[in-house]
Amino acid sequence: MAEIIQKDGTWVFDGDTLRLTPGRDKNVGLLRRTLGELLVPLGALAGVSFEQGRKTGRLRLRLREGADPLLQATGGRLPESHDPYQLVVESDRYGVAEYFADEVRNALLLDQVPSHPVPEYLLPGPSVPLSASAGDGSVSFDGERIRLEWNWKTEEAKSAAGARTLALTDIAAVEWVPATGLENGHLRFLVRSAPTKTPAKYDPNAVELWGFKKDPLMALVAAAVQARLPHPAARDSAHGTVPDRAGHDHPAELEATPAPSSSAAPEDEHDALLRRLRELGELHRSGVLTDEEFALAKQAVLKRM
């Protein structure tokens, strides 16, 4: 097991799952604190990195495309303080962070986890019911219905019709865009058969965001809705394309063609080393190898790779 404890949070990896717990430091973003502890299966990861700075470093997890509804809904636009897949590391814990990253990388290698997009969400998204207030309105979601209510700052053209309720079955997509510079952001629900280019300020299916503290909470609502919409891969499949093993789109009928069997080719050294790593892992888990023996044997194999 690998563990790193910082003011920014605690990350624990048991070989199969990463447990990400936000810290209580004042610099931990509101979204992370509200989202709480996350359990990330190893199969949802595409990679891990550790970046050193003069005073602090940063551990970063890279998830496979389509694995997490939060990342799907926010499109990589979350500020660093709100991103649950980043951890600020103090300089005196750089060694621990490097060890943690190595353990995750080795597990990805041992389990041969691919990095291409996934066909279904591997994380459940925020739990419901859920509500948030920011900008010119409030949004609540119970898993089946979305309710939008307006405040005194809402444009009259949008608030005149009163509160609005949308059925999840009527939603084609959801988008969350943060406010940046002088540009306002929004949380918008795209309704089927009713495309719109109306600015969020006047759109009755959108909440306009002005860059205030609670704006990121709207991203949690977006993620909860996104988790209950058809996965993007299912939508692509319906249009005749599916991601292949390398993550590229091809006509769906081609995916039915089985891949050539790897058993037809002679086993090369790389495959043999991967098999040896798996054997060492099994011996370590069963108690045959001590932690020190396992670490030494694993490093010897990795050097040969």
Side-chain angles (χ1 to χ4, degrees), residues 188-268:
R188 190 193 304 272
F189 302 99
L190 303 177
V191 179
R192 300 181 192 280
S193 305
T196 181
K197 295 183 179 179
T198 305
K201 184 175 184 178
Y202 304 105
D203 185 356
N205 297 323
V207 173
E208 187 179 37
L209 304 175
W210 300 319
F212 295 153
K213 179 180 178 181
K214 293 186 178 181
D215 281 14
L217 295 184
M218 288 293 186
L220 294 183
V221 178
V225 174
Q226 183 72 54
R228 291 159 179 82
L229 293 176
H231 191 275
R235 183 177 63 247
D236 293 341
S237 180
H239 286 83
T241 64
V242 294
D244 65 8
R245 293 169 182 81
H248 305 298
D249 285 343
H250 292 286
E253 60 269 17
L254 295 183
E255 187 68 10
T257 304
S261 173
S262 59
S263 62
E267 181 182 59
D268 59 19

Side-chain angles (χ1 to χ4, degrees), residues 30-50:
L30 180 60
L31 184 147
R32 284 179 62 197
R33 287 189 273 119
T34 305
L35 185 59
E37 187 175 82
L38 277 179
L39 297 178
V40 183
L42 183 65
L45 288 186
V48 58
S49 64
F50 174 57

